[in-house]
RNA sequence: GGCACCAUAGCCAAGUGGUAAGGCAGAGCUCUGCAAAAGCUUCACCCCCAGUCCGAAUCUGGGUGGUGCCUCCA
């Protein structure tokens, strides 16, 4: 069992990971709200979740990973009032909310599969856990942390002394209502909804002790994480954007409900930027995996790009960076293949040293970029299957399909007869050392749309 | 106004007290008629100022700059 250091947002420093149960890890990751396809920024969070899990497994832990599928309830852009995303999307497309949720969930799973992100052990859906959420809300009402208003049940943040301990924000420092109109029913501007009472035309609503309604947008994580991981669990992950509101609220709910600490380690991934700034629809720079693939890159090349930056650093996505990742990944595969076919025996002590450096990197708060550097350096050794086999072991963390490297299959393109004839003429010219004619024919072939490369025993034609 | 993160070569990026990993691009060389491919080699004193220290990219203070959050957001 390797010792892991992880950066705990709660402590604002790296800590040695100590599991609740020896040899086991329970982790919960805030999952997608399935009303529109995930973009590559969203996906960074799941690559992080995946790396974390893989490193624990590599280190000898048994991991239970839980990720929610939010198919209800997140309100759109107006605080605790107004419409929710699922309903909005449903109205826009004319589809049933659950129909949209099913479609988007399938697409999400296909996306994470393509990126070699292991599916979590459990992916509970919010709509399957409404009774569990109602029970938490009721408990918070019973013990005095929540109150009922005309439009819902709210959590009273002033009753929880620990509010703000994750993000460092203080209640009185916030500019309430600066951009959002304050809900007049609330006792304190940042009290948040646990349960919302629904209007008759609201698309998703359930019976509750407070009439028909739907859950607030923080309660599902609290209800489901406890259901699947127990009252206190090891790790909760999510994007940095969740620190000030969502996770702060989760802590408040859970600790007030349970009466004790609920999560030992909070871990957050930084954002992906596009061309140095936030991705947004108005800038037209929100890309999905499908968009990246459509531009000629593979999901593995994209995964390589993710892996090249440590999870707590901002990752600036540019197409130039994507090109660099493509080049690097393909070169890497070429080197791996050469090692796979290598015949040199590599000294065991040398291999052990590379393994030690690799493990040192990954166990130091997921320093995957450093681990990649170790790999690159190792691949400079004389070509040896021993090196390849160790690289395969490293790939338990990278998950870059090192086991699938093989001789590049020449794309079977049909070469027109006239192009072939030109190539033959050029070959003859070369054999006669008529270089001027040879070069002229290369230009002709290029003009016809093909590139010609000389090989040891002839030539190779490819589409330009 | 508050909170947080960050600032290392043309680009991406690791390094958090002992003299700058790795990748992309570039340059040079080898090989090849040339080209392509491949291989080898090469390429930074770390935003600024002041301090602590035998020693700082790494710590402290002050600047400057960037990004995000304070509304749903990975």
């Amino acid at each position: 069992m390797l010792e892991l250091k992880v950066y705990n947002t709660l402590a604002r420093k790296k800590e040695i990971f100590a599991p609740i149960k020896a040899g086991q890890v329970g982790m919960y990751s805030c999952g997608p709200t399935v009303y529109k396809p995930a973009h590559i920024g969203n996906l960074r969070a799941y690559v992080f979740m995946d790396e974390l899990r893989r490193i624990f497994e590599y280190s000898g832990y048994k991991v239970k990973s839980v990720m929610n599928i939010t198919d209800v309830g997140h309100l759109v852009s107006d605080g605790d009032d107004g419409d929710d995303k699922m309903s909005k999307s449903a109205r826009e497309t004319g589809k049933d909310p659950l129909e949209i949720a099913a479609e988007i969930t399938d697409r999400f799973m296909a996306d994470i599969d393509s990126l070699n992100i292991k599916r979590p052990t459990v992916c509970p859906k919010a709509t399957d856990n409404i009774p569990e959420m109602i029970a938490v809300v009721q408990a918070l009402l019973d013990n005095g942390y929540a109150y009922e208003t005309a439009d819902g049940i709210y959590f009273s943040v002033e009753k929880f002394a620990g509010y703000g301990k994750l993000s460092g924000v203080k209640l009185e420092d916030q500019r309430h209502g600066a951009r959002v109109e304050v809900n007049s029913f609330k006792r304190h501007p940042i009290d948040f909804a646990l349960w919302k009472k629904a209007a008759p035309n609201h698309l998703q609503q359930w019976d509750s002790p407070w009439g028909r309604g739907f859950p607030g947008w923080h309660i599902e994580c609290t209800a489901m994480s406890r259901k699947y991981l127990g009252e206190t669990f090891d790790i909760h992950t999510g994007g940095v954007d969740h620190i000030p509101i969502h996770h702060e609220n989760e802590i408040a709910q859970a600790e007030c409900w349970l009466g004790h600490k609920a999560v030992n380690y909070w871990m957050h991934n930084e954002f992906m930027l596009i061309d140095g700034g936030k991705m947004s629809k108005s800038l037209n720079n929100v890309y999905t995996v499908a968009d990246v693939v459509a531009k000629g890159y593979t999901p593995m090349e994209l995964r390589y790009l993710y892996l090249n930056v440590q999870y707590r650093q901002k990752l600036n996505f540019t197409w130039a960076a994507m090109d660099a990742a493509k080049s690097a990944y393909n070169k890497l595969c070429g080197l791996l293949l050469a090692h796979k076919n290598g015949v040199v025996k590599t000294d065991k002590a040398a291999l052990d040293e590379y393994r030690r450096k690799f493990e040192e990197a990954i166990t130091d708060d997921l320093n995957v970029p450093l681990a990649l550097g170790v790999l690159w350096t190792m691949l400079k050794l004389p070509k040896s299957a021993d090196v390849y086999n160790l690289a395969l072991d490293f790939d338990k963390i990278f998950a870059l399909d090192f086991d699938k490297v093989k001789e590049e299959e020449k794309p079977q393109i049909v070469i027109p007869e006239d192009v072939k004839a030109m190539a033959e003429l050029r070959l003859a010219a070369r054999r006669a050392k008529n270089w001027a004619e040879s070069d002229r024919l290369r230009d002709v072939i290029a003009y016809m749309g093909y590139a010609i490369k000389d090989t040891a025993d002839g030539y190779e034609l490819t589409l330009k």
Side-chain angles (χ1 to χ4, degrees), chain A residues 173-187:
Chain A
D173 288 341
Q174 299 302 302
R175 283 186 167 183
H176 309 298
R179 297 162 69 194
V180 179
E181 202 170 328
V182 175
N183 180 318
S184 57
F185 294 117
K186 293 196 279 192
R187 291 179 188 168

Side-chain angles (χ1 to χ4, degrees), chain A residues 24 45 70 89 170 229 315 317 331 353-354 371 381 432:
Chain A
Q24 295 183 36
T70 299
S89 185
K170 296 181 180 66
L229 293 168
L315 191 171
F317 180 92
K331 190 170 165 189
E353 179 61 10
Y354 281 108
L381 290 172

Side-chain angles (χ1 to χ4, degrees), chain A residues 11 18 62 85 110 169 206 232-233 287 302 336 396 449:
Chain A
K62 181 166 170 28
K85 290 174 179 175
V169 298
W206 291 263
T232 301
F233 58 92
Y287 306 117
L302 178 58
L336 284 163
K396 288 174 183 167

Side-chain angles (χ1 to χ4, degrees), chain A residues 107 117 136 140 159 165 228 260 302 322 331 441 454:
Chain A
R107 175 151 177 198
I117 294 167
V136 180
L140 287 167
K159 298 222 167 135
K165 66 182 175 182
Y228 292 100
H260 58 72
L302 178 58
M322 199 59 236
K331 190 170 165 189
L441 286 166
D454 297 321

